[in-house]
Amino acid sequence: DAKYIHLSMDLQNNITIKIIYDGISFNLNTIILGNWIMNMQQRMRSIGGNLQIKFENGTLIELEIPI
């Protein structure tokens, strides 16, 4: 369903990877987060990183990994 997908990477203080697309999104208040999301968040925290997933007018997935 997505009409566009934008992928960006920034290598300044951290490695930051953003994936943005306008496809079907979800309401975080009504969905059950599956194990894959929780596992990815836990893995990112274990290396001092961060994973954010936002569903507003599409989807934003952002990974921040320390250098």
Side-chain angles (χ1 to χ4, degrees), residues 4-60:
Y4 77 87
I5 298 173
H6 178 80
L7 174 64
S8 64
M9 181 183 286
D10 183 15
L11 299 172
Q12 291 183 4
N13 298 326
N14 294 315
I15 298 171
T16 303
I17 301 169
K18 289 184 184 180
I19 304 165
I20 303 169
Y21 63 95
D22 66 343
I24 297 172
S25 62
F26 302 93
N27 182 337
L28 284 177
N29 296 319
T30 60
I31 67 166
I32 298 171
L33 295 178
N35 283 335
W36 70 273
I37 293 176
M38 290 185 278
N39 288 341
M40 287 178 62
Q41 289 174 329
Q42 182 179 358
R43 288 177 184 159
M44 290 299 293
R45 282 192 299 268
S46 74
I47 62 169
N50 187 33
L51 167 67
Q52 291 187 35
I53 301 174
K54 297 179 183 177
F55 303 107
E56 295 174 6
N57 300 320
T59 302
L60 164 67

